[in-house]
Amino acid sequence: MEFSEHIKTANVEDVVLRRPFYQPTKGTLCVTGHHLIFSNRGGDSARPFLLLLRNIDAIEKRPSVSSGTITLKCKDLCVLQLDIPGMEECLNIASSIESLSSLETVSEMYPFFYRPPFLSLQDQWGLSSTEQHYAQMKEIHDGWRVSQVNRDYSVSPSYPPAVIVPHSIDDETLVKAARFRQGGRFPVLCYYHRETGTVIMRSSQPLSGANRKRCREDELLLQAVIDGSELGYIIDTRSSQQAQQARMTGGGFESKSCYRGWKRLHRQLEKGKVLQESLIKLVEACGDQSHSIAMLMMTVWFLCSISCYHVISVVMDGHSVLVHGSEGTDTSLLVSSLAQLILDPDSRTLAGFLGLLEREWVQAGHPFQQRCAHSAYSHVRLRHEAPVFVLLLDCVWQLARQFPLAMGFSEPLLLRLAKEVYASDYGTFLCNSDQERCVTGVKERTHCLFQSLLRANERQHYSNPLYERTELAIWPSIQPPSLQLWKGLFLQWTDDALHLVEAQKVIQNLVSQCHRPLNEKVENTDG
Amino acid sequence: MYHGHNIREGRWFTVVVILNHITEVQLLDRYTAKKPAIGTLYLTATHLIFVETSCNTRKETWIIHHHIATVEKLPLTGTGYPLNISCKNFHVVHFVIPSERYCQDVYHSLLRLSQPAKLEDLFAFLYNPKQDEDDRRNGWGFIDSAMDFKRMGLPNEFWELTDLNKNYELCSTYHSELGIPKTARKDTVLGSAKFRSRGRLPTLSYYHKESNGAICRCSQPLSGISARCLEDEEMLQAISRANPNSTFMYVVDTRPKLNAMANRAAGKGYENADNYSNIRFQFVGIENIHVMRNSLQKLLEVCAMKSPTMSDYLTGLENSGWLRHIKAVMDAGVFLAKAVADEKASVLVHCSDGWDRTAQVCSLASILLDNFYRTIKGLMVLIEKEWISMGHKFTQRCGHVDGDPKEVSPVFTQFLECVWNLMEQYPCGFEYNEKYLLEIHNHVYSCQFGNFIGNCQREREEMLKEKTFSVWPFLWENRQQYINPLYKCSLGREVLRPSTLPLNFKFWCGMYNHFDKGMQPKQSILDHLLTIIQKRVEGEKKMTDFQRVSRYRFV
């Protein structure tokens, strides 16, 4: 299918663009297959304004006799307005935007066309593979191995080809254990804690069903993790009632008698529709003049982020942990990645954090395409949308606010990721699993965001100037007053955010001046 | 005798007389279920000191008696007799004392010592930081609020300073030097003072050079149902005329309209716009001291909740109304600043007596309009000018001495909270940091210095300047700690236009949970920056010293 079929009017002159922080400007609007391009005819050197159509979440049109107004509400929460002369042009533009912004064929998306001069398709796609990650962790080589059992994605369609499992468990056992877990997501290693030798693992729910079926191999797998003497915790991110109900549809939970040495805890985390609706409510409230901060924080969103930390307090108890909810592709990832960030100094560097996201979200099969199809403004009926990844970023921001020196990356990185996950020039967040990425050729025909963020000139922008590595766990306060609204994200299109950005620049200058060699002259701090 | 060393008061506390001491006292942690600290409680004439003996490092908790707001004995528990102390700087401590008699003793001593009957028994009259008399006197001259009029360009063709109040005869609660319009005749001034509650006539608070707009303040007129006063009307005319850029002036009554109307029955009230030519009259609806006191009480109840759920905490915060009141004050300040900067109009502000809400609003507007008040010294001048010299009743509002509890109200705390809110919105806009506000707040209540004792300038003149020290030189000496490293003076005379959307008013954890370290961010950007800057400065100093030495060597 050609994009041109969707484009009834490609160019309109004398369009007025209104957007945050800028005076309304008149210029030419152009619709292409993937972008809206607005250029200011005045001929000043300003580059044309480019908007990825994929970024548009909702479009509202108000045509009148001789002109019309289109309001574009974007997934990055920006709201733009176009005043278009000519009613027909207005309607044409609107309908083009509507159809082009909702195309769902992966191989037609912009990342397949994006070819910047500074990146090459020959570059490695992704930062590291499971094998490379394993090779770096010498301390686990005795007890753990890399299994290729999923090399053709037949054991678990949403897992990567290679996973880390206990040494003593052979592939045959894994295959059988996988049949007992939803989507074949058998327990795999996420994190090994050097000091205590305890681990964090994740999986999906066991398929014990109404008859309380058992699976010897699944039990063996978990027993191999703790050598009899220790106690492990299974954190089920559903309430016990939800877990009971899941049995009726073939799911279930690990019964106490079958898994010796494991204790199951239910710690409910919201997901799916509830989470998506809470984001919608929060964004709505942020634009509302009458909401106080307390009313705003009363939204489910904040309850979600605080409960993440409540869950993690279990993880921090010095025991091995298996986390799962139902599918094991959402809240389990949230818990395992936040816990690693708190425990592991290596995951708090810029590269380490991106590596963590790659392992725990991209490779682990978080269904980005489904979850991020729409954001907070869309009127489309919800299907699989859920801002789990944005919730992760919010939780990381809360952590970084309490430990402003401990993270190697900065707030602009989190904001960039929050934007890229919904609409991107890069292929990293396309598709729902590693398998899909291979089938559609994402790894060959698109560029990798994480690679791009680590290039020298980007790296500086996304590094935290105050970073001082600490080997300690960074355990945040979870008292209600410690939680705050992430203004940088939710109010990023207001003047407030400008002042915060300014402050970040000043910090950067200040630190670089203080760290400059002493014999160089110090310039005015206003720089 | 107790030989203690305290960082803050370190300069003079080498020997403290112990009145009483109790061993094996427990200090409970407010939030966590950690094991209580065990130590010795010392009661001195000025402080309550807890020295922890259960840990290896010597940890001390000092509480100045005047900070204590309430002392409460609770019923016997398994481990002893609980004594709860809440302080005016929001420090809350729970002791458990092993014997009932000791608990009783401490309880009664603290009640007596925290709120003496006479001003002369306050700490400030005892405090002596080993300075000689000249230093002490000079210290009082460190901040001169009258000098600030000079900085604004007074006297000029529109405004002048008058000494009509030099013996405090015109208005006993005002400063002796007042800024008035040049065209106001003496009988106009005298007549206007008679028509204003407690003689608090309209006088200049801030003059904005760029627009010629002025902010003036006064108390409510004694208009009752229908009274009028030609001199007062002339006085407002004169203020209006002093601004050639505007044909009208605003008269802002900071009270809710209902309160102002109720005052009319008592012969007070507000200006009848029909009698005054070219005024635009406006209510802004800030609640009175009693509403504010109760609101703070509710806020503190929320702070005192032990591990509240998110929704309990937020509901409590919302229901306290505290942040709404802060917003109301800020809204009024922003209204004034916009009127002066954007409309180039002058504004006359009052509430009832003109010493609480009026002080809040005028000083806030000054900060918005003028970068000087966003500097360390500028804030001192502002507090001296709008609060101390214009008769904010610190003794009563802070409850320094035993008196009517209904006169106590956190009016000044609210002002500081508004400033903090501005600092949060403009991280590069202020020369000072949060610690500065907290330290000022501490000293408003500590009664260690004379500045915040007394209800007006006249009272202070009579006894304080002779017998106590001024806090300003003390704060100035420690200014390195109060610097905001992000401050950009290039913001210059830019007028601040903060957003006053309700969601911008946050709970001030640094003030109300200051002593609950578990709730503060675990690492501080501010401290980190101050440290690396300090290191840099030291490094550079060494470098230049070294270069100087080597130059001598090689030349």
Side-chain angles (χ1 to χ4, degrees):
Chain A
M1 183 180 52
E2 288 295 317
F3 296 121
S4 57
E5 286 174 26
H6 297 286
I7 304 173
K8 294 176 191 145
T9 301
N11 278 297
V12 191
E13 304 278 328
D14 292 328
V15 172
V16 176
L17 169 70
R18 297 167 203 276
R19 57 177 167 140
F21 310 135
Y22 290 89
Q23 292 295 320
T25 39
K26 200 176 239 186
T28 308
L29 181 73
C30 177
V31 187
T32 73
H34 294 108
H35 289 97
L36 278 186
I37 304 170
F38 179 87
S39 47
N40 185 344
R41 256 185 327 168
D44 55 21
S45 60
R47 281 189 302 169
F49 169 69
L50 206 66
L51 180 70
L52 205 54
L53 288 167
R54 185 90 196 141
N55 189 4
I56 296 170
D57 205 26
I59 166 166
E60 286 159 22
K61 45 184 190 276
R62 264 176 290 127
S64 66
V65 185
S66 61
S67 68
T69 298
I70 297 178
T71 305
L72 300 175
K73 297 186 170 177
C74 299
K75 292 172 185 168
D76 62 8
L77 307 182
C78 183
V79 177
L80 314 161
Q81 194 183 311
L82 297 165
D83 299 338
I84 300 174
M87 184 175 75
E88 200 187 326
E89 280 83 356
C90 174
L91 291 174
N92 284 347
I93 296 278
S95 84
S96 304
I97 294 174
E98 268 165 2
S99 46
L100 288 167
S101 63
S102 54
L103 290 182
E104 285 190 22
T105 318
V106 172
S107 59
E108 285 177 1
M109 289 183 182
Y110 186 61
F112 284 88
F113 300 85
Y114 177 63
R115 296 290 175 264
F118 50 82
L119 291 172
S120 156
L121 285 181
Q122 314 307 318
D123 296 342
Q124 180 190 333
W125 200 95
L127 302 176
S128 165
S129 65
T130 308
E131 288 85 346
Q132 286 165 327
H133 181 59
Y134 177 81
Q136 281 166 4
M137 299 189 295
K138 297 265 184 305
E139 63 277 10
I140 69 167
H141 289 187
D142 286 342
W144 300 81
R145 69 185 182 94
V146 173
S147 164
Q148 315 270 5
V149 70
N150 197 37
R151 68 182 77 80
D152 55 358
Y153 304 105
S154 60
V155 177
S156 167
S158 61
Y159 264 174
V163 290
I164 303 173
V165 294
H167 219 295
S168 56
I169 300 296
D170 58 20
D171 282 359
E172 206 175 317
T173 314
L174 292 177
V175 171
K176 287 182 181 152
R179 287 194 202 121
F180 187 63
R181 294 275 172 179
Q182 182 172 358
R185 296 175 70 91
F186 55 88
V188 295
L189 180 80
C190 309
Y191 175 65
Y192 178 87
H193 192 244
R194 278 187 210 109
E195 284 74 30
T196 59
T198 55
V199 297
I200 300 174
M201 301 179 75
R202 54 175 158 73
S203 69
S204 61
Q205 65 176 339
L207 302 173
S208 46
N211 320 326
R212 300 178 186 276
K213 264 189 301 193
R214 294 178 58 166
C215 171
R216 183 80 198 117
E217 289 76 11
D218 191 63
E219 291 164 20
L220 273 177
L221 173 51
L222 285 186
Q223 263 159 34
V225 176
I226 51 170
D227 52 12
S229 56
E230 292 174 63
L231 178 70
Y233 283 111
I234 296 172
I235 302 177
D236 194 325
T237 61
R238 304 166 294 180
S239 67
S240 62
Q241 199 189 359
Q242 285 171 330
Q244 286 287 355
Q245 277 166 0
R247 283 175 46 215
M248 297 309 133
T249 51
F253 49 87
E254 295 82 356
S255 76
K256 201 175 165 186
S257 52
C258 311
Y259 294 85
R260 277 228 323 275
W262 287 90
K263 187 173 157 57
R264 197 179 71 248
L265 300 169
H266 290 277
R267 294 285 184 274
Q268 192 193 349
L269 290 180
E270 297 296 350
K271 51 180 272 191
K273 204 171 166 190
V274 178
L275 203 55
Q276 180 73 15
E277 278 167 357
S278 78
L279 178 72
I280 294 172
K281 280 220 181 77
L282 176 61
V283 170
E284 201 179 281
C286 283
D288 188 325
Q289 312 279 310
S290 64
H291 274 70
S292 70
I293 193 79
M295 286 155 75
L296 202 80
M297 293 183 70
M298 218 94 76
T299 49
V300 183
W301 185 261
F302 289 91
L303 301 179
C304 293
S305 51
I306 212 153
S307 49
C308 284
Y309 284 112
H310 278 294
V311 172
I312 290 162
S313 59
V314 178
V315 181
M316 308 292 295
D317 227 16
H319 296 278
S320 285
V321 166
L322 169 71
V323 197
H324 70 72
S326 34
E327 294 93 346
T329 53
D330 296 289
T331 48
S332 328
L333 311 183
L334 189 61
V335 172
S336 73
S337 35
L338 269 181
Q340 291 180 58
L341 213 52
I342 291 171
L343 288 169
D344 181 10
D346 289 334
S347 70
R348 297 181 216 136
T349 65
L350 176 61
F353 179 59
L354 294 176
L356 176 76
L357 295 181
E358 183 176 72
R359 279 197 315 278
E360 291 298 297
W361 292 81
V362 180
Q363 292 171 355
H366 177 66
F368 281 105
Q369 199 181 341
Q370 292 182 348
R371 298 291 180 259
C372 301
H374 288 284
S375 170
Y377 289 126
S378 172
H379 306 302
V380 177
R381 203 170 63 86
L382 295 180
R383 288 180 302 173
H384 306 293
E385 288 82 358
V388 194
F389 188 71
V390 179
L391 181 61
L392 169 83
L393 296 177
D394 193 321
C395 291
V396 175
W397 178 81
Q398 305 281 355
L399 191 59
R401 198 190 71 82
Q402 293 196 33
F403 293 91
L405 314 183
M407 305 291 192
F409 51 89
S410 63
E411 181 173 354
L413 179 80
L414 300 177
L415 292 171
R416 172 91 188 258
L417 290 169
K419 186 183 164 96
E420 297 280 342
V421 75
Y422 282 102
S424 177
D425 293 346
Y426 298 89
T428 302
F429 297 125
L430 289 179
C431 302
N432 295 308
S433 65
D434 198 64
Q435 184 184 19
E436 284 184 28
R437 253 168 245 122
C438 285
V439 171
T440 48
V442 167
K443 293 184 184 181
E444 290 81 42
R445 292 164 53 207
T446 75
H447 295 289
C448 168
L449 173 68
F450 297 154
Q451 288 283 6
S452 172
L453 291 176
L454 289 176
R455 285 178 299 128
N457 49 342
E458 299 271 319
R459 195 184 259 271
Q460 207 217 334
H461 181 56
Y462 294 118
S463 296
N464 175 9
L466 300 172
Y467 178 54
E468 279 186 351
R469 186 182 167 105
T470 165
E471 299 301 321
L472 303 173
I474 51 169
W475 181 236
S477 155
I478 49 177
Q479 293 284 342
S482 306
L483 213 62
Q484 294 209 348
L485 172 71
W486 185 9
K487 284 192 175 182
L489 178 68
F490 294 107
L491 302 177
Q492 66 177 305
W493 304 103
T494 65
D495 283 350
D496 245 20
L498 285 187
H499 302 308
L500 298 179
V501 170
E502 184 196 17
Q504 280 161 359
K505 268 192 213 141
V506 175
I507 291 177
Q508 192 131 34
N509 287 343
L510 208 60
V511 174
S512 66
Q513 271 167 15
C514 285
H515 289 157
R516 194 177 297 172
L518 268 174
N519 43 16
E520 275 178 47
K521 201 166 158 43
V522 181
E523 279 157 35
N524 188 358
T525 43
D526 283 309
Chain B
M1 288 288 206
Y2 170 77
H3 294 263
H5 181 75
N6 177 269
I7 297 167
R8 189 140 40 90
E9 285 87 4
R11 290 193 308 182
W12 76 287
F13 265 116
T14 45
V15 178
V16 175
V17 181
I18 306 290
L19 303 177
N20 196 350
H21 82 275
I22 309 166
T23 54
E24 295 296 306
V25 172
Q26 297 177 50
L27 174 63
L28 307 185
D29 197 279
R30 190 165 161 199
Y31 290 97
T32 58
K34 264 193 315 198
K35 246 175 71 184
I38 298 178
T40 307
L41 193 63
Y42 296 90
L43 186 71
T44 78
T46 55
H47 287 75
L48 186 66
I49 307 160
F50 178 76
V51 182
E52 201 174 327
T53 46
S54 53
C55 67
N56 295 330
T57 52
R58 186 184 186 90
K59 234 176 101 188
E60 298 176 7
T61 308
W62 286 58
I63 297 169
I64 194 162
H65 291 328
H66 301 316
H67 269 163
I68 296 174
T70 59
V71 196
E72 209 185 347
K73 277 186 306 174
L74 295 185
L76 176 68
T77 67
T79 47
Y81 296 84
L83 189 70
N84 289 2
I85 297 175
S86 322
C87 297
K88 294 170 178 174
N89 60 351
F90 311 114
H91 192 179
V92 177
V93 275
H94 300 327
F95 291 116
V96 178
I97 294 173
S99 115
E100 185 174 15
R101 195 174 61 85
Y102 286 151
C103 183
Q104 195 78 5
D105 280 357
V106 176
Y107 175 75
H108 286 295
S109 306
L110 288 179
L111 282 188
R112 183 171 45 84
L113 292 164
S114 62
Q115 245 188 359
K118 304 193 304 280
L119 282 181
E120 289 80 356
D121 291 334
L122 291 171
F123 181 28
F125 295 92
L126 211 73
Y127 175 65
N128 183 356
K130 290 183 183 151
Q131 285 176 359
D132 63 27
E133 186 58 15
D134 281 350
D135 284 350
R136 201 188 61 78
R137 275 178 199 284
N138 290 340
W140 278 107
F142 182 70
I143 295 294
D144 180 359
S145 63
M147 282 301 286
D148 198 42
F149 285 124
K150 209 168 190 180
R151 193 187 61 85
M152 293 177 207
L154 255 64
N156 61 16
E157 55 176 316
F158 307 114
W159 294 90
E160 64 182 11
L161 292 175
T162 172
D163 60 357
L164 283 173
N165 198 36
K166 66 169 178 269
N167 299 319
Y168 305 106
E169 280 162 356
L170 190 60
C171 170
S172 64
T173 56
Y174 268 0
H175 192 254
S176 52
E177 276 199 314
L178 302 174
I180 55 166
K182 230 174 185 166
T183 59
R185 296 197 318 271
K186 188 178 174 187
D187 56 332
T188 306
V189 176
L190 298 181
S192 173
K194 285 211 180 75
F195 190 62
R196 294 280 164 177
S197 185
R198 300 176 201 268
R200 295 174 65 92
L201 69 149
T203 172
L204 185 71
S205 155
Y206 179 71
Y207 175 71
H208 192 241
K209 267 188 271 188
E210 289 79 355
S211 69
N212 289 124
I215 296 175
C216 297
R217 55 184 290 182
C218 60
S219 61
Q220 63 185 336
L222 303 175
S223 51
I225 307 300
S226 61
R228 52 188 289 191
C229 165
L230 283 178
E231 288 88 352
D232 192 61
E233 288 160 27
E234 275 169 27
M235 186 69 185
L236 266 65
Q237 271 291 305
I239 293 172
S240 190
R241 269 200 311 272
N243 178 359
N245 284 329
S246 177
T247 54
F248 68 92
M249 71 183 275
Y250 283 107
V251 175
V252 173
D253 189 328
T254 57
R255 299 169 292 185
K257 189 172 180 185
L258 266 179
N259 301 19
M261 284 171 64
N263 266 296
R264 286 171 62 180
K268 299 164 187 172
Y270 52 94
E271 291 79 358
N272 180 347
D274 297 338
N275 298 340
Y276 295 82
S277 46
N278 302 323
I279 68 163
R280 294 191 186 169
F281 186 84
Q282 183 101 25
F283 288 109
V284 292
I286 302 173
E287 297 290 348
N288 64 24
I289 56 167
H290 312 294
V291 175
M292 300 306 191
R293 180 179 57 245
N294 293 333
S295 174
L296 179 65
Q297 188 53 44
K298 283 190 196 150
L299 183 78
L300 295 180
E301 281 163 20
V302 176
C303 296
M305 286 197 284
K306 269 187 187 158
S307 51
T309 66
M310 191 73 181
S311 73
D312 285 349
Y313 164 74
L314 292 172
T315 313
L317 183 60
E318 184 71 12
N319 290 345
S320 75
W322 182 255
L323 295 177
R324 273 198 300 283
H325 298 312
I326 299 293
K327 175 178 154 54
V329 175
M330 186 78 99
D331 274 329
V334 170
F335 177 86
L336 259 58
K338 279 188 177 159
V340 170
D342 299 350
E343 297 185 68
K344 301 186 185 225
S346 293
V347 189
L348 176 67
V349 189
H350 67 75
C351 43
S352 300
D353 290 312
W355 50 43
D356 293 313
R357 288 168 274 204
T358 302
Q360 288 177 328
V361 170
C362 289
S363 45
L364 203 54
S366 301
I367 288 183
L368 295 172
L369 286 167
D370 193 336
N371 179 50
F372 174 64
Y373 303 119
R374 297 173 225 147
T375 63
I376 291 183
K377 198 151 187 183
L379 186 65
M380 296 178 183
V381 170
L382 186 68
I383 293 171
E384 189 72 36
K385 182 164 75 89
E386 293 302 311
W387 294 83
I388 296 174
S389 72
M390 292 302 279
H392 176 69
K393 303 196 289 177
F394 279 106
T395 297
Q396 293 191 349
R397 294 293 178 261
C398 303
H400 287 333
V401 288
D402 197 14
D404 183 0
K406 286 210 163 64
E407 285 287 336
V408 176
S409 189
V411 177
F412 187 76
T413 307
Q414 287 183 318
F415 162 65
L416 291 181
E417 186 160 338
C418 287
V419 179
W420 175 77
N421 258 297
L422 288 174
M423 284 163 46
E424 285 289 293
Q425 275 196 49
Y426 295 93
C428 309
F430 290 77
E431 188 193 26
Y432 40 86
N433 59 37
E434 184 187 23
K435 287 184 195 166
Y436 187 48
L437 303 185
L438 295 176
E439 192 63 5
I440 291 175
H441 188 259
N442 268 335
H443 282 301
V444 165
Y445 287 98
S446 72
C447 301
Q448 183 177 343
F449 297 94
N451 307 62
F452 304 108
I453 297 173
N455 289 320
C456 62
Q457 198 63 21
R458 195 178 51 132
E459 282 185 21
R460 254 169 240 120
E461 207 89 325
E462 282 165 5
M463 57 179 203
L464 284 153
K465 290 201 175 172
E466 295 307 316
K467 295 177 187 157
T468 68
F469 288 80
S470 166
V471 71
W472 305 127
F474 172 79
L475 291 175
W476 184 249
E477 227 169 84
N478 297 324
R479 64 186 175 280
Q480 275 316 322
Q481 305 169 34
Y482 307 133
I483 289 276
N484 169 19
L486 306 184
Y487 177 55
K488 285 176 86 171
C489 47
S490 60
L491 285 175
R493 287 195 75 86
E494 195 180 300
V495 175
L496 299 186
R497 293 166 207 280
S499 154
T500 57
L501 283 185
L503 62 83
N504 273 307
F505 294 87
K506 303 190 278 192
F507 172 71
W508 190 3
C509 207
M511 172 70 94
Y512 303 103
N513 288 125
H514 182 73
F515 296 88
D516 307 305
K517 291 299 172 213
M519 281 197 202
Q520 310 290 332
K522 301 299 187 304
Q523 299 171 326
S524 150
I525 297 179
L526 175 70
D527 289 342
H528 179 75
L529 288 176
L530 288 176
T531 314
I532 62 171
I533 291 169
Q534 184 63 30
K535 272 191 196 151
R536 176 79 193 185
V537 170
E538 280 162 15
E540 271 162 16
K541 195 172 165 295
K542 262 187 212 148
M543 193 72 170
T544 35
D545 288 352
F546 172 74
Q547 281 167 345
R548 197 176 302 134
V549 170
S550 38
R551 201 177 305 136
Y552 284 129
R553 198 176 297 158
F554 296 117
V555 168

